[in-house]
Each structure stands twice: as structure tokens, then as C-alpha cells.
Amino acid sequence: MSKEAVGLGLGDEKVDAQVWGKSKHLRVPYPLLWHLIDTAAVAGVLWDRFLAPNQRRVIAEGLGTDVAHARSLMMFWAGLHDVGKATPGFQRQNVKPRV
């Protein structure tokens, strides 16, 4: 693990904050894990605030599950949208020095 790691309150486990997810227009790169969590949270808010109950039901039926589980699945899938950024090839793209 890199020297730049942050704790998550899970005992002694740490997350490598140098695995970046966003860097454009930022002074320092934004950690990938935080980006994925943010995206999942936004998907949950969109589900709650912008889908009508009938739309949620249709999605849940299409997935063969209940509405609460469908919401969790949507959040999970949204959170995975950029997981490929954890690959060495992508990580090498950021040429900015880390502060």
C-alpha cells in the first residue's frame, strides 16, 4: 500500500488514496473510491427524488426484485461505473505531481 492511505474506521484497514478517479481542474487528484461512493450516493438521490413510484416499480419488476433491492442495485452499479480507472494504464495518465 502506498504511503498515502486513509482509514475508514474498519480496524487497521486503509484505502490507498493515490488511486485517483478525477483530476481535471483539481489541485490534487480526487481518490477513486470517494468518486465511486459519491456516484452511488447521487444515484440513490436520483432514484428517490426523480423517479415516480410507478417507474421504480417497473424497474424492480424488470430486475425481478422488490423496489428497495432495485434501488440498492442501481446504486451499486452506478458506483462501479469507473472501477476500470483502478488499472495501471489509467492511473499512469495523471502526470500531475501529487502534493
Side-chain angles (χ1 to χ4, degrees):
M1 186 171 303
S2 77
K3 64 182 177 185
E4 188 176 334
V6 293
L8 291 178
L10 303 172
D12 293 332
E13 295 181 29
K14 303 246 186 244
V15 173
D16 187 347
Q18 287 189 356
V19 178
W20 63 279
K22 294 286 181 185
S23 65
K24 189 174 185 179
H25 306 297
L26 300 175
R27 187 178 59 79
V28 295
Y30 191 62
L32 177 60
L33 179 60
W34 295 180
H35 169 61
L36 300 179
I37 291 170
D38 291 345
T39 304
V42 168
V45 170
L46 291 172
W47 178 277
D48 295 339
R49 295 187 185 174
F50 294 100
L51 290 181
N54 190 51
Q55 292 171 310
R56 296 181 202 141
R57 183 186 54 76
V58 168
I59 293 168
E61 287 175 0
L63 293 171
T65 191
D66 61 66
V67 171
H69 188 232
R71 179 183 185 273
S72 294
L73 286 171
M74 291 297 117
M75 292 176 65
F76 176 71
W77 291 331
L80 291 178
H81 83 285
D82 268 347
V83 75
K85 288 183 175 182
T87 61
F90 185 86
Q91 291 297 304
R92 283 192 292 269
Q93 292 181 36
N94 188 20
V95 294
K96 287 185 194 176
R98 296 176 196 263
V99 178

